[in-house]
């Protein structure tokens, strides 16, 4: 697994979903993007001086993009002081510092050796599964992969287009969407 790197990144896109939920993409050097599906990063809004080594206050977010690209994406929900600050301060063109990759919650198909894989996610918690479920390298053949995904409202299901496209290309993927009223569907 790669050693964490501190990377200066530029905000390239902010997507606002309903109810204070956002997706943010950062332009990053491809060389830094050697993470695996399921890993996470630290994001700081404060200035960082690489010569001191002191890392400022930050928050962790699951990486929701494919590795080895020129960008990294996250999703977040405004729930506290820091995420409220992110909502106010992040803007396209802004430079921020990221430190990644971290975590050993990594999905390896070889680790479940023919058994079905069941993934449970709520809201923005679907992010760590996205790089795995949407990977072009995902084997067409193999055991079933089930994603059970819940959100407060149907419009808060994130990455629906990507998930449905992946399901179309990989019939072994089964998607189940649930929202607060207790309803569920194969697609939102």
């Amino acid at each position: 697994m790669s050693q964490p790197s501190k990377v200066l990144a530029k905000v390239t896109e902010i997507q606002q979903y309903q109810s204070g939920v956002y997706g943010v993409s950062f332009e990053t050097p491809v060389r830094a993007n050697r993470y695996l599906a399921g890993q996470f990063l630290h994001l700081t809004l404060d200035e960082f001086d690489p010569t001191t080594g002191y890392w400022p206050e930050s928050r962790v977010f699951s990486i929701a993009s494919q590795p080895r690209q020129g960008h990294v994406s996250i999703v977040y929900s405004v729930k506290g002081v820091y995420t409220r600050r992110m909502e106010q301060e992040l803007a396209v063109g802004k430079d921020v510092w990221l430190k990644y990759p971290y975590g050993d919650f990594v999905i390896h198909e070889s680790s479940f050796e023919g058994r079905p894989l069941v993934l449970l996610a709520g809201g923005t918690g679907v992010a760590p599964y996205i790089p795995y479920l949407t990977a072009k390298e995902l084997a067409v053949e193999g055991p079933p992969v089930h994603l059970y995904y819940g959100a407060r409202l149907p419009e808060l299901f994130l990455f629906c287009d990507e998930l449905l496209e992946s399901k179309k290309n990989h019939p072994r993927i089964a998607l189940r969407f649930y929202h607060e009223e207790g309803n569920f569907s194969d697609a939102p």
Side-chain angles (χ1 to χ4, degrees), residues 41-175:
L41 58 78
H42 284 257
L43 176 145
T44 185
L45 297 170
D46 298 320
E47 290 296 318
F48 168 65
D49 179 356
T51 62
T52 66
Y54 171 76
W55 184 253
E57 181 182 11
S58 62
R59 292 295 178 275
V60 298
F61 299 94
S62 294
I63 299 171
S65 52
Q66 293 296 322
R68 295 175 182 79
Q69 308 274 329
H71 72 279
V72 171
S73 299
I74 63 167
V75 291
Y76 74 96
S77 180
V78 178
K79 295 290 185 193
V81 174
Y82 204 86
T83 51
R84 212 171 321 165
R85 193 173 154 210
M86 288 172 61
E87 181 180 43
Q88 294 166 354
E89 294 181 27
L90 288 179
V92 172
K94 179 177 175 68
D95 288 333
V96 297
W97 283 90
L98 307 175
K99 185 167 59 163
Y100 65 98
Y102 284 98
D104 55 11
F105 168 70
V106 177
I107 302 168
H108 290 290
E109 287 201 43
S110 61
S111 65
F112 56 98
E113 299 175 1
R115 296 177 303 225
L117 176 62
V118 177
L119 306 172
L120 305 174
T124 60
V126 73
Y129 302 139
I130 297 303
Y132 170 73
L133 291 170
T134 62
K136 289 180 175 60
E137 303 81 31
L138 184 66
V140 175
E141 298 295 319
V145 178
H146 302 274
L147 173 65
Y148 294 87
Y149 181 20
R152 284 180 288 134
L153 304 166
E155 52 270 16
L156 289 175
F157 290 116
L158 309 177
F159 306 103
C160 286
D161 293 341
E162 295 90 337
L163 289 168
L164 293 171
E165 181 67 22
S166 190
K167 178 181 170 47
K168 187 173 84 175
N169 296 330
H170 300 94
R172 68 192 187 104
I173 295 176
L175 304 173

